[in-house]
Amino acid sequence: MRLLVTADLHYNHGRSKALAVDVIKQMNQTGGDALLLVGDTAVADGQHLEACLSQFTLKGPKLFLCGNHELWTRGPDSYFLFTDELPRRVRALGWRWLETEPLVAGGAAVVGTIGWYDYTFASEQLAIPQRFYQAKLSPGAAEQLNRNDLLADRSDITPAALEIRVRWNDGTFVKLHRNDVQFAAECAERLEDHLRAVSPTASQVVVATHHVPFRELLPPPRAGPLEFVKAYLGSQRLGDVIRRFDNVSRVFCGHSHVAARATFGQIEAVNLGSSYNWKTFQTLDLPD
């Protein structure tokens, strides 16, 4: 089985759409037996998602994973999108909702989850208190917005932290009705259940997570604002779950927009690295 994999198409985004259309054409021309999208295909509001998914012509199984951008909405409930509306819309287009429906084909299996973040990848060098990550505002941004609830006690805020001014937009557009740590744990637990379920029959398992599961797949150290957002790139717990299963051979993720590779025993882990300005895809041959 030849699997084609891509991530972060961001089809609704102005400067990203033409590149997404181009890589979809390349994937259609390449052909294969199955297709996997690893999140951030398009926002849920409007018909961008349908417009993007309908361009893929592959006849085999088409596997869809949600990213954080699919949960962006002007409406009141991202969790309803995640558990009800998006699965219905994706299935109506002939795609499999991989979050709850692993694929088993011959001796191989593909499982996946959005993954989410729990601040375990927050940069230690910034020494920013967790309340700012929970609010999705850096200390400098909180000061600009007069968030006195976050700044009432400044004894744990360094002058350097106050120079960092950045907002993580999930704080505005994602409404999960549970905190990030709880949602990340929910996703990790579901992934573990699926890995356990496919293990008796699958000699080779591919794991896909939109968010980054291993610290080694994060971008290298960067300037303050970009270093701050590492807290939102993934969860160490995801990687811990994956490492427990010795039949996992490949892991794909995206989200960070920076390509990376790492090897852990039998596991080859790949951050695809697609971004707003550059798209890529990979092929993987699995046993029939």
Side-chain angles (χ1 to χ4, degrees), residues 13-43:
H13 194 280
R15 74 174 186 268
S16 184
K17 184 174 180 178
L19 295 171
V21 170
D22 184 61
V23 81
I24 291 169
K25 289 179 180 177
Q26 293 178 45
M27 295 173 76
N28 288 338
Q29 291 168 0
T30 298
D33 303 300
L35 172 65
L36 170 61
L37 299 187
V38 192
D40 278 7
T41 299
V43 296

Side-chain angles (χ1 to χ4, degrees), residues 18-195:
L19 295 171
V21 170
D22 184 61
V23 81
I24 291 169
K25 289 179 180 177
Q26 293 178 45
M27 295 173 76
N28 288 338
Q29 291 168 0
T30 298
D33 303 300
L35 172 65
L36 170 61
L37 299 187
V38 192
D40 278 7
T41 299
V43 296
D45 288 356
Q47 294 297 306
H48 305 287
L49 185 60
E50 283 80 359
C52 184
L53 295 185
S54 64
Q55 294 183 45
F56 287 96
T57 59
L58 187 98
K59 301 302 182 185
K62 296 187 285 290
L63 316 177
F64 181 90
L65 264 188
C66 187
N68 59 311
H69 278 243
E70 274 84 12
L71 302 186
W72 281 25
T73 180
R74 299 287 182 181
D77 197 339
S78 298
Y79 197 73
F80 177 77
L81 283 175
F82 180 66
T83 58
D84 189 289
E85 181 181 331
L86 280 169
R88 283 191 285 106
R89 288 167 60 182
V90 165
R91 291 175 185 134
L93 292 166
W95 290 68
R96 179 185 291 253
W97 183 256
L98 191 61
E99 186 78 39
T100 57
E101 302 168 32
L103 174 71
V104 178
V110 184
V111 302
T113 179
I114 184 174
W116 215 246
Y117 43 81
D118 55 10
Y119 324 133
T120 48
F121 292 154
S123 175
E124 293 183 3
Q125 72 185 52
L126 296 182
I128 291 176
Q130 190 171 98
R131 66 183 181 276
F132 293 96
Y133 292 113
Q134 292 168 335
K136 300 182 174 66
L137 292 171
S138 68
E143 188 172 54
Q144 286 181 321
L145 295 170
N146 297 316
R147 285 291 303 270
N148 294 325
D149 56 318
L150 299 173
L151 298 166
D153 178 9
R154 297 190 177 222
S155 63
D156 57 356
I157 307 171
T158 66
L162 287 171
E163 294 298 316
I164 299 173
R165 299 177 179 89
V166 62
R167 304 175 68 172
W168 186 249
N169 280 329
D170 285 359
T172 301
F173 297 113
V174 177
K175 301 99 171 179
L176 290 170
H177 309 294
R178 61 215 358 93
N179 65 43
D180 295 320
V181 174
Q182 291 169 332
F183 186 53
E186 175 185 323
C187 294
E189 288 165 7
R190 182 165 46 248
L191 176 64
E192 184 166 12
D193 288 344
H194 289 161
L195 284 166

